[in-house]
Each structure stands twice: as structure tokens, then as C-alpha cells.
Coordinates of all heavy atoms in Angstrom, one line a residue:
L172 N -9.0 -4.2 -7.6 CA -8.5 -2.8 -7.5 C -9.6 -1.8 -7.1 O -9.3 -0.9 -6.3 CB -7.9 -2.4 -8.9 CG -6.8 -1.3 -8.8 CD1 -5.7 -1.6 -7.8 CD2 -6.2 -1.0 -10.2
P173 N -10.8 -1.8 -7.6 CA -11.8 -0.8 -7.2 C -12.1 -0.8 -5.7 O -12.6 0.2 -5.2 CB -13.1 -1.2 -8.0 CG -12.5 -2.0 -9.2 CD -11.3 -2.8 -8.6
V174 N -11.8 -1.9 -5.0 CA -12.1 -1.9 -3.5 C -10.8 -2.1 -2.8 O -10.8 -2.5 -1.6 CB -13.1 -2.9 -3.2 CG1 -14.5 -2.5 -3.7 CG2 -12.7 -4.3 -3.7
M175 N -9.6 -1.9 -3.4 CA -8.3 -2.2 -2.8 C -8.2 -1.4 -1.5 O -7.7 -1.9 -0.5 CB -7.2 -1.8 -3.7 CG -5.8 -2.3 -3.2 SD -5.7 -4.1 -3.2 CE -3.9 -4.3 -3.1
V176 N -8.5 -0.1 -1.5 CA -8.3 0.8 -0.3 C -9.3 0.3 0.8 O -8.8 0.1 1.9 CB -8.4 2.2 -0.6 CG1 -8.4 3.1 0.7 CG2 -7.3 2.7 -1.6
P177 N -10.6 0.2 0.5 CA -11.4 -0.3 1.6 C -11.0 -1.7 2.1 O -11.2 -2.0 3.3 CB -12.8 -0.4 0.9 CG -12.8 0.6 -0.2 CD -11.3 0.6 -0.7
Y178 N -10.5 -2.6 1.2 CA -10.0 -3.9 1.7 C -8.8 -3.7 2.6 O -8.8 -4.4 3.7 CB -9.6 -4.7 0.5 CG -9.0 -6.1 0.8 CD1 -9.8 -7.1 1.2 CD2 -7.6 -6.3 0.8 CE1 -9.3 -8.4 1.6 CE2 -7.1 -7.5 1.1 CZ -7.9 -8.5 1.5 OH -7.4 -9.8 1.9
L179 N -7.9 -2.9 2.3 CA -6.7 -2.6 3.2 C -7.2 -2.0 4.5 O -6.7 -2.3 5.5 CB -5.7 -1.8 2.5 CG -5.0 -2.4 1.2 CD1 -4.1 -1.4 0.6 CD2 -4.2 -3.6 1.6
R180 N -8.1 -1.1 4.4 CA -8.7 -0.4 5.6 C -9.4 -1.4 6.5 O -9.3 -1.3 7.7 CB -9.6 0.7 5.2 CG -9.0 1.8 4.4 CD -8.3 2.9 5.2 NE -9.2 4.0 5.5 CZ -8.9 4.9 6.4 NH1 -7.7 4.9 7.1 NH2 -9.7 5.9 6.6
S181 N -10.0 -2.4 5.9 CA -10.6 -3.5 6.7 C -9.6 -4.3 7.4 O -10.0 -5.0 8.4 CB -11.5 -4.4 5.8 OG -10.6 -5.3 5.0
K182 N -8.4 -4.3 7.0 CA -7.3 -5.0 7.7 C -6.7 -4.1 8.9 O -5.7 -4.5 9.5 CB -6.2 -5.3 6.8 CG -6.6 -6.2 5.7 CD -7.1 -7.6 6.1 CE -7.5 -8.5 5.0 NZ -8.0 -9.8 5.5
G183 N -7.3 -2.9 9.1 CA -6.9 -2.0 10.2 C -5.9 -1.0 9.8 O -5.3 -0.3 10.6
L184 N -5.6 -0.8 8.4 CA -4.6 0.2 8.0 C -5.3 1.6 7.9 O -6.4 1.8 7.5 CB -4.1 -0.2 6.6 CG -2.9 -1.2 6.6 CD1 -3.4 -2.5 7.1 CD2 -2.4 -1.3 5.2
S185 N -4.5 2.6 8.3 CA -4.9 4.0 8.1 C -4.5 4.4 6.7 O -3.8 3.7 6.0 CB -4.1 4.9 9.1 OG -2.7 4.9 8.8
M186 N -5.0 5.6 6.3 CA -4.6 6.1 4.9 C -3.1 6.3 4.8 O -2.5 6.1 3.8 CB -5.4 7.4 4.6 CG -6.8 7.2 4.1 SD -6.9 6.1 2.6 CE -6.1 7.1 1.4
Q187 N -2.5 6.8 5.9 CA -1.0 6.9 5.8 C -0.4 5.6 5.6 O 0.6 5.4 4.8 CB -0.5 7.5 7.1 CG 1.0 7.8 7.1 CD 1.5 8.5 8.3 OE1 0.8 9.0 9.1 NE2 2.8 8.5 8.5
E188 N -0.9 4.5 6.3 CA -0.3 3.2 6.1 C -0.6 2.6 4.7 O 0.2 1.9 4.1 CB -0.8 2.2 7.2 CG -0.3 2.5 8.6 CD -0.9 1.6 9.6 OE1 -2.1 1.4 9.6 OE2 -0.2 1.1 10.5
V189 N -1.8 2.9 4.2 CA -2.1 2.5 2.8 C -1.0 3.1 1.8 O -0.5 2.4 1.0 CB -3.5 3.0 2.4 CG1 -3.7 2.8 0.9 CG2 -4.6 2.2 3.2
F190 N -0.8 4.4 2.0 CA 0.3 5.0 1.1 C 1.7 4.5 1.4 O 2.5 4.4 0.5 CB 0.2 6.6 1.2 CG -0.8 7.2 0.3 CD1 -2.1 7.6 0.8 CD2 -0.6 7.3 -1.0 CE1 -3.0 8.2 0.0 CE2 -1.5 7.9 -1.8 CZ -2.7 8.3 -1.3
E191 N 1.9 4.2 2.7 CA 3.2 3.7 3.1 C 3.4 2.3 2.4 O 4.5 2.0 1.9 CB 3.4 3.5 4.6 CG 3.6 4.8 5.3 CD 3.6 4.7 6.8 OE1 3.3 3.5 7.3 OE2 3.9 5.6 7.5
L192 N 2.4 1.5 2.4 CA 2.4 0.2 1.7 C 2.7 0.4 0.2 O 3.5 -0.4 -0.3 CB 1.1 -0.5 1.9 CG 1.0 -2.0 1.6 CD1 1.9 -2.8 2.5 CD2 -0.4 -2.5 1.8
Q193 N 2.0 1.3 -0.4 CA 2.3 1.6 -1.8 C 3.7 2.2 -2.1 O 4.3 1.9 -3.1 CB 1.2 2.5 -2.4 CG -0.2 1.9 -2.4 CD -0.1 0.5 -3.0 OE1 0.3 0.3 -4.2 NE2 -0.7 -0.5 -2.3
S194 N 4.2 2.9 -1.1 CA 5.6 3.4 -1.2 C 6.6 2.3 -1.1 O 7.6 2.3 -1.7 CB 5.8 4.5 -0.1 OG 5.0 5.6 -0.3
I195 N 6.3 1.3 -0.2 CA 7.2 0.1 -0.1 C 7.2 -0.6 -1.5 O 8.2 -1.0 -2.0 CB 6.7 -0.8 1.0 CG1 7.0 -0.1 2.4 CG2 7.4 -2.2 0.9 CD1 6.4 -0.8 3.5
F196 N 6.0 -0.8 -2.0 CA 5.9 -1.4 -3.4 C 6.7 -0.6 -4.4 O 7.5 -1.1 -5.2 CB 4.4 -1.4 -3.8 CG 4.2 -1.7 -5.2 CD1 4.2 -3.0 -5.7 CD2 3.9 -0.7 -6.2 CE1 3.9 -3.2 -7.1 CE2 3.7 -0.9 -7.5 CZ 3.7 -2.2 -8.0
S197 N 6.6 0.8 -4.4 CA 7.3 1.6 -5.3 C 8.8 1.6 -5.0 O 9.6 1.6 -6.0 CB 6.8 3.1 -5.1 OG 5.5 3.2 -5.6
F198 N 9.2 1.4 -3.8 CA 10.6 1.3 -3.4 C 11.2 0.1 -4.1 O 12.3 0.1 -4.7 CB 10.8 1.3 -1.9 CG 12.2 1.0 -1.5 CD1 13.2 2.0 -1.6 CD2 12.6 -0.2 -1.0 CE1 14.5 1.8 -1.2 CE2 13.9 -0.4 -0.6 CZ 14.9 0.6 -0.7
F199 N 10.5 -1.1 -4.0 CA 11.1 -2.3 -4.5 C 11.0 -2.3 -6.0 O 11.9 -2.9 -6.7 CB 10.4 -3.5 -3.9 CG 10.9 -3.9 -2.6 CD1 10.3 -3.4 -1.4 CD2 12.0 -4.7 -2.5 CE1 10.8 -3.7 -0.2 CE2 12.5 -5.0 -1.2 CZ 11.9 -4.5 -0.1
V200 N 10.0 -1.6 -6.6 CA 10.0 -1.5 -8.1 C 11.2 -0.6 -8.5 O 11.8 -0.9 -9.5 CB 8.7 -0.8 -8.5 CG1 8.8 -0.4 -10.0 CG2 7.5 -1.7 -8.3
L201 N 11.5 0.4 -7.7 CA 12.6 1.3 -8.0 C 13.9 0.5 -8.0 O 14.7 0.7 -8.8 CB 12.6 2.4 -6.9 CG 13.6 3.5 -7.1 CD1 13.1 4.9 -6.6 CD2 15.0 3.2 -6.4
I202 N 14.1 -0.4 -7.0 CA 15.3 -1.2 -6.9 C 15.5 -2.1 -8.1 O 16.6 -2.2 -8.6 CB 15.2 -2.0 -5.6 CG1 15.4 -1.1 -4.3 CG2 16.4 -3.1 -5.6 CD1 15.3 -1.9 -3.0
F203 N 14.3 -2.7 -8.5 CA 14.4 -3.7 -9.6 C 14.2 -3.1 -11.0 O 14.5 -3.7 -12.0 CB 13.4 -4.8 -9.4 CG 13.6 -5.6 -8.1 CD1 12.6 -5.7 -7.1 CD2 14.7 -6.4 -8.0 CE1 12.8 -6.4 -6.0 CE2 14.9 -7.2 -6.9 CZ 13.9 -7.2 -5.9

């Protein structure tokens, strides 16, 4: 977790995509 954002950024994600990824996570948590 302490390097989660740098790790995701190393995969080529922008900050908007990092938050989009977390929003997708939140969306599925919301569904379930």
C-alpha cells in the first residue's frame, strides 16, 4: 500500500486513471 500509487504509475497510469481504477473498485464494492 505505501507504494501503490507509484507502482500503478510505473504501469503507465495517470493520476486520473489511478482514481478511475479506485472508482471501479468502489463501484463493485457498491454493487456487492
